[in-house]
Amino acid sequence: MLKNSRVKFLRQEIIPFPTTSMMRNLLVVYVNISGNELCLMTSHLESTKSHAKERLNQLRQVFKTMQEASESTTVIFGGDTNLRDHEVTEVGGLPNNILDIWEFLGKPEHCHYTWDTNCNSNLDGRYKCKFRFDRIFFRTAAEGGQIIPRSLDLIGLEKLECGKFTSDHWGLLCDFDVIL
């Protein structure tokens, strides 16, 4: 969440994934916060194991778009990637200038799994499994103010009055320090 009084909207674009079968795209928003330009990105990459090939194409596009942003811009992507860990390896790993915030913060166990059918009862699946489907990727600006990830937590862990969780995934909440 961003406060309008602190954030200046610069521009936005929607980048379609041309071969998606699930109507997926990449939303990109450029903003300025206290003199720091940020590129904020989100997407819901193709779901399910059987759509891995398309999901990896989409991940490549996310990384490409992150790398194409101006070097003076901090880039943050957060979304439901549906990634399995081996899939990141299949695309050659993270580009050198892009961090996975969960890994950067030391792989905190309390927020390892964002999809956990042992704890989240929204899906009535007969299977029980855990995955880190939701991720935040980060590329720091080459110069200027520093934006540094400080902590990561899961949100949405409480059931609503209706007895359901807000999603079948837990959300990720990342705190950043801004050093001017």
Side-chain angles (χ1 to χ4, degrees), residues 28 48 59 85 91 96 99 103 109-110 114 128 134 175:
V28 183
T48 73
L59 180 63
D85 289 335
V91 297
N96 290 336
L99 302 171
E103 292 175 354
E109 191 56 36
H110 74 278
T114 62
K128 297 294 179 192
D134 305 85
D175 286 324

Side-chain angles (χ1 to χ4, degrees), residues 93-128:
L94 294 173
N96 290 336
N97 60 344
I98 296 175
L99 302 171
D100 179 318
I101 287 182
W102 179 75
E103 292 175 354
F104 174 78
L105 292 172
K107 300 180 179 181
E109 191 56 36
H110 74 278
C111 54
H112 189 167
Y113 300 108
T114 62
W115 196 71
D116 184 347
T117 60
N118 293 300
C119 300
N120 190 316
S121 56
N122 277 13
L123 297 177
D124 293 326
R126 295 190 172 98
Y127 51 87
K128 297 294 179 192

Side-chain angles (χ1 to χ4, degrees), residues 45-174:
L45 303 186
E46 218 83 353
S47 303
T48 73
K49 189 175 184 178
S50 62
H51 290 90
K53 181 178 178 184
E54 174 59 22
R55 180 171 46 256
L56 296 184
N57 288 337
Q58 294 168 358
L59 180 63
R60 286 182 191 96
Q61 179 64 54
V62 168
F63 289 157
K64 179 179 182 282
T65 304
M66 290 182 77
Q67 291 179 303
E68 288 174 346
S70 167
E71 287 187 15
S72 63
T73 301
T74 297
V75 184
I76 302 170
F77 168 90
D80 177 355
T81 66
N82 285 303
L83 286 169
R84 284 71 172 161
D85 289 335
H86 68 89
E87 292 176 343
V88 177
T89 304
E90 287 177 35
V91 297
L94 294 173
N96 290 336
N97 60 344
I98 296 175
L99 302 171
D100 179 318
I101 287 182
W102 179 75
E103 292 175 354
F104 174 78
L105 292 172
K107 300 180 179 181
E109 191 56 36
H110 74 278
C111 54
H112 189 167
Y113 300 108
T114 62
W115 196 71
D116 184 347
T117 60
N118 293 300
C119 300
N120 190 316
S121 56
N122 277 13
L123 297 177
D124 293 326
R126 295 190 172 98
Y127 51 87
K128 297 294 179 192
C129 56
K130 305 178 196 187
F131 288 100
R132 190 167 71 93
F133 282 158
D134 305 85
R135 299 180 187 221
I136 303 174
F137 299 124
F138 178 78
R139 194 206 76 187
T140 190
E143 54 188 56
Q146 289 288 315
I147 299 173
I148 303 167
R150 286 293 176 210
S151 65
L152 190 63
D153 287 298
L154 294 178
I155 57 173
L157 302 173
E158 300 82 28
K159 286 187 177 182
L160 303 171
E161 287 182 24
C162 65
K164 294 284 190 178
F165 294 100
T166 54
S167 173
D168 60 321
H169 293 241
W170 308 133
L172 288 171
L173 174 65
C174 185

